[in-house]
Amino acid sequence: MCGIIGYCGPKPAAPILIEGLKRLEYRGYDSAGIAVGADGNLHVHKREGKLFRLRERVPEDLGGVWGIGHTRWATHGEVNDLNAHPHTDATNTIAVVHNGIIENFTSLKEKLQEEGYTFRTETDSEVIAHLIASLYDGDLETAVRQTVRLLKGTYGILAMHAAEPNVLVGARNGSPLVLGVGNDEMFMASDATALVAHTKQVVYIEDGELVKLTPKSYKTTDLRSREIDKKVDFISWELEEIEKGGFAHFMEKEILEQSESIKRAMQGRLDLEYGTGHLGGLNMANKELLEVERVKIIAAGTSLHAGMVAAYLLETVARIPAQAELASELRYRNPVVERNNIYFAVSQSGETADTLYAMRELKRKGARVLGICNVVGSTIPRESDGGVYIHSGPEIAVASTKAFTSQMTALYLFALIMARMRHMSLEHGLAFIKDLEQVPDLVARIVDRRGEIELLAKKYAHAGNFLFLGRGINYPVALEGALKLKEISYVHAEGYSAAEIKHGPIALINDDTPSFFVVPDNGLRDKVITNMKEVKARRGPVLALAVEGDREVAKIADDVFYVPPTHEYMYPFLMVVPFQLFAYYTAIELGRDVDQPRNLAKSVTVE
Ligand code: M6R
């Protein structure tokens, strides 16, 4: 969603701001803008559309060594130049960028209008600029503090004043802000990817905190002006990890990285002596884990699908009742929190509002909530009672791929721990580990044959609709296949349990609606084959992901992609990769913007 960047230091600000915005593009946006202070004035440039359009408008010799920038993902007001950030006060001396939603902006706006302030945009954010102006008495920090006390809702804010050169003031409530500490220069951003080209030293700003930056200093305070001592953290990943490195798209790079990222997710977490896993970050003693009677997983989108696979595994392998649920729904249904239940909040970004707010609601009710997250230092892991980082490295493409397989890996390890503490023997634990350890190589073998999937994608890209069908532990994989295809290729796709099609979706079958089946060699294989025949009998094109050696599938399906054999529990890893590749190549065939699909944001920080 929206992105924020700020700079103060000795260098020209505009190129640094635009480069920072470029790094934030992956979050999804529809307009962008910057404000740079020079010669006692603020120079504001903003434009609808992609960043190159803004770049065309910013003069080469803009001058100025401090400024703020923003990529906007519209919530209040349509996408146009005017509604883009930064927003300024009437005299153009204060500029503000804002992420989040100001819920009481209508009443604040009406009050300001009565006082004579004129609004130029339809946004909620503009109210912040006018409020600061109305409260400004020679000190930006104080005016911002007074302003945020009046705001209800979520915000990450960065503000500047023409009369206070090289000063930026930021404030956070619910929308991430991170400070980058450089040599005689300071940066501010909504996520660390915008900073890593300049510095690896960062300070995470928390809700209720305000920060004032100058090139050589930063001061963090709370809303009552009390100073807060902040720890400097270090970004552990390298700049190359957020660059394409020769790949056409981040999505391609991230799909291909999976054999490595799955390995990283299990690194140091396998206990080969006792055939179990080791997840120290859970902050739970074995005795407490033994008392767990139910596991609930909350998440959104792809992370939910990873949670659904894990829930299936937890029940079958560890024999613990487990359930994955949409975080957005759980939050508003007044969930019953039972003693001896534990919750996992699964989120790549660690910032998804639906998941975060559901987690807070659960915690208010006394639940123990653990995080399964990728982005280190993000809000969910910081607010959870413990958890596991999946260590996928930055995931830049909007469509989540490597995070999915790493989330599953972490949850598989948890299932193994729980199973070993209950009935699973050492021998079976060791066998489970062996199967899991083989997954990265099997994924690499699939990825090496991506040319076959590319041909399939070319053949079917122009179909009107798709069904993705799987059963059991592979049912969520079918859901994920459909989600991947629709989000980046804009082709309508639905995921179902293969058993379910006869209850409705089969009515959709025609020669322009291919059905893509997941056919592993497990106990449900024959049932799925029956469903394939039902589609075939109605002249629907049939594609299948099947296991090497399964010739019967080839006799029914129009096209088959074979995956290597593995243990039945490991197929979700092997089946999802061809689906990711299929979506990727279909999107390319249709000329879509693969990494930044329309209307989507990488990290969905509003409800
Ligand atoms: O960062 P999160 O894992 O919490 O994000 C959840 C969803 O927004 C995300 O998985 C979304 O569905 C992706 N676009 C899927 O590719």
Side-chain angles (χ1 to χ4, degrees), residues 300-303 346-350 352 398-400 407 483-484 487 604:
T302 290
S303 298
V346 184
S347 172
Q348 187 286 131
S349 62
T352 298
V398 162
S400 186
Q407 287 163 344
L483 176 63
K484 284 286 90 75
E487 70 178 330
V604 184

Side-chain angles (χ1 to χ4, degrees), residues 443-491:
V443 165
R445 275 169 57 184
I446 290 170
V447 156
D448 285 346
R449 287 171 35 230
R450 58 191 176 280
E452 293 173 43
I453 300 278
E454 187 174 1
L455 290 178
L456 280 186
K458 285 199 161 109
K459 180 171 170 188
Y460 289 96
H462 298 278
N465 302 288
F466 273 85
L467 294 179
F468 284 77
L469 304 160
R471 295 208 61 182
I473 198 167
N474 292 294
Y475 162 51
V477 175
L479 299 181
E480 178 60 8
L483 176 63
K484 284 286 90 75
L485 187 67
K486 71 183 127 192
E487 70 178 330
I488 60 162
S489 72
Y490 319 146
V491 175

Side-chain angles (χ1 to χ4, degrees), residues 112-286:
L112 285 161
Q113 280 170 328
E114 279 164 22
E115 289 169 21
Y117 290 87
T118 308
F119 283 72
R120 289 168 288 199
T121 79
E122 303 156 279
T123 67
D124 54 334
S125 310
E126 189 186 353
V127 80
I128 304 169
H130 294 299
L131 269 179
I132 297 175
S134 72
L135 296 163
Y136 187 77
D137 192 15
D139 179 34
L140 182 62
E141 185 190 353
T142 306
V144 171
R145 182 174 294 105
Q146 290 171 346
T147 296
V148 296
R149 280 195 194 148
L150 301 173
L151 303 179
K152 289 206 174 78
T154 54
Y155 53 80
I157 291 169
L158 203 52
M160 61 192 294
H161 194 294
E164 296 187 44
N166 255 328
V167 172
L168 297 178
V169 178
R172 169 188 166 146
N173 182 47
S175 273
L177 274 186
V178 53
L179 160 72
V181 183
N183 285 331
D184 296 337
E185 57 184 355
M186 295 286 167
F187 304 82
M188 197 81 190
S190 47
D191 81 61
T193 47
L195 306 177
V196 75
H198 306 283
T199 179
K200 289 188 139 198
Q201 298 190 77
V202 295
V203 176
Y204 294 102
I205 308 302
E206 306 283 343
D207 283 355
E209 290 180 356
L210 206 94
V211 58
K212 176 178 178 176
L213 319 182
T214 68
K216 289 179 197 284
S217 69
Y218 62 90
K219 183 180 81 174
T220 318
T221 50
D222 66 13
L223 297 190
R224 289 157 72 182
S225 311
R226 291 175 299 203
E227 260 193 65
I228 302 168
D229 231 6
K230 301 286 291 182
K231 162 168 127 321
V232 177
D233 279 299
F234 289 86
I235 300 173
S236 59
W237 36 271
E238 302 298 327
L239 183 60
E240 298 82 70
E241 293 184 57
I242 55 165
E243 298 194 325
K244 279 192 206 142
F247 291 94
H249 301 97
F250 281 110
M251 185 175 177
E252 181 191 21
K253 178 177 177 237
E254 288 159 10
I255 294 173
L256 269 51
E257 270 171 14
Q258 283 178 106
S259 92
E260 285 310 311
S261 52
I262 295 170
K263 265 187 220 158
R264 272 202 305 279
M266 58 177 111
Q267 212 158 30
R269 292 170 169 167
L270 295 173
D271 182 336
L272 298 175
E273 196 180 346
Y274 296 107
T276 186
H278 174 71
L279 297 173
L282 296 180
N283 296 335
M284 286 180 77
N286 285 355

Side-chain angles (χ1 to χ4, degrees), residues 22 99 453 566:
K22 183 93 199 122
N99 286 358
I453 300 278
T566 183

Side-chain angles (χ1 to χ4, degrees), residues 511-538:
D511 58 7
D512 191 33
T513 304
S515 297
F516 211 149
F517 284 87
V518 186
V519 200
D521 54 359
N522 61 15
L524 288 167
R525 173 189 169 277
D526 294 350
K527 307 267 180 213
V528 177
I529 291 204
T530 304
N531 300 138
M532 285 169 67
K533 287 179 180 162
E534 287 161 2
V535 170
K536 205 63 213 156
R538 286 157 183 85

